[in-house]
Amino acid sequence: RWPNPRRAQEAFPWISNTMDIILCCRGHFKQAGGYAWRFVESRTKLDTHDVAELLAQNARIQIQKNNPKRKPSKSHDLYEKYKYATTVREMINLGGRRADIAYDITHGWITFEDPELNRRFSRTYTGAATTSDTTTAAHHAASEDDNDDAASS
């Protein structure tokens, strides 16, 4: 959930020392119940040049149909309008903004039909977006850790 100890400390202002957070995530504190956890890998960030490139080639996309944005919000309403788009330009024509393109790709809600674009812009590409909820990389990684622990027991 947090990319580094400083960001975790911002979420827990009563913890004054970032070293406490690091030790806790390594499982050294009894209060942690012996559980170790790790920080989320940072996401690939798309900049304005990346979005311009995607628009110029009118990249074919697949958008997760289950709206992940909070309701009620403008972002939720816009997502509902553009979630059936099949290209980046169509997404813009349906009400999506350039910032939505970057944000949704970064969060894994948009994938590309071109595997090369997925390799370039998606941090953990596992296939096309589906109509069901997509699993976040952090959740998936945590599940793998749990499976590894269970297998070694």
Side-chain angles (χ1 to χ4, degrees):
R1 187 167 172 185
W2 299 283
N4 59 49
R6 182 186 56 78
R7 296 292 294 273
Q9 186 180 19
E10 290 171 0
F12 303 106
W14 58 88
I15 301 175
S16 59
N17 185 353
T18 54
M19 194 60 187
D20 290 344
I21 293 172
I22 293 169
L23 291 173
C24 183
C25 80
R26 291 182 182 160
H28 295 306
F29 282 158
K30 290 179 185 176
Q31 298 91 326
Y35 294 104
W37 51 275
R38 59 192 160 130
F39 294 105
V40 174
E41 297 173 27
S42 60
R43 294 184 178 112
T44 302
K45 303 285 188 208
L46 277 76
D47 62 22
T48 56
H49 299 292
D50 295 327
V51 173
E53 176 187 342
L54 294 171
L55 283 166
Q57 57 182 285
N58 198 22
R60 295 196 56 78
I61 58 174
Q62 293 182 335
I63 302 175
Q64 173 184 309
K65 301 305 181 245
N66 185 20
N67 191 334
K69 312 241 175 143
R70 287 190 185 154
K71 189 177 181 180
S73 69
K74 183 175 182 178
S75 292
H76 181 275
D77 296 343
L78 287 174
Y79 193 95
E80 285 298 315
K81 290 179 182 178
Y82 67 71
K83 71 182 181 181
Y84 294 104
T86 58
T87 66
V88 178
R89 283 190 206 142
E90 184 181 3
M91 181 181 163
I92 293 290
N93 291 338
L94 291 172
R97 300 165 294 193
R98 288 173 179 249
D100 293 324
I101 295 169
Y103 189 86
D104 292 356
I105 291 169
T106 299
H107 285 80
W109 303 327
I110 294 177
T111 56
F112 301 96
E113 289 186 7
D114 181 352
E116 180 56 34
L117 291 176
N118 279 315
R119 278 191 283 282
R120 284 183 56 201
F121 297 116
S122 300
R123 181 172 53 93
T124 54
Y125 172 66
T126 58
T130 63
T131 56
S132 64
D133 286 324
T134 56
T135 305
T136 62
H139 179 74
H140 182 68
S143 297
E144 286 178 357
D145 289 345
D146 291 344
N147 292 339
D148 291 344
D149 292 345
S152 65
S153 297

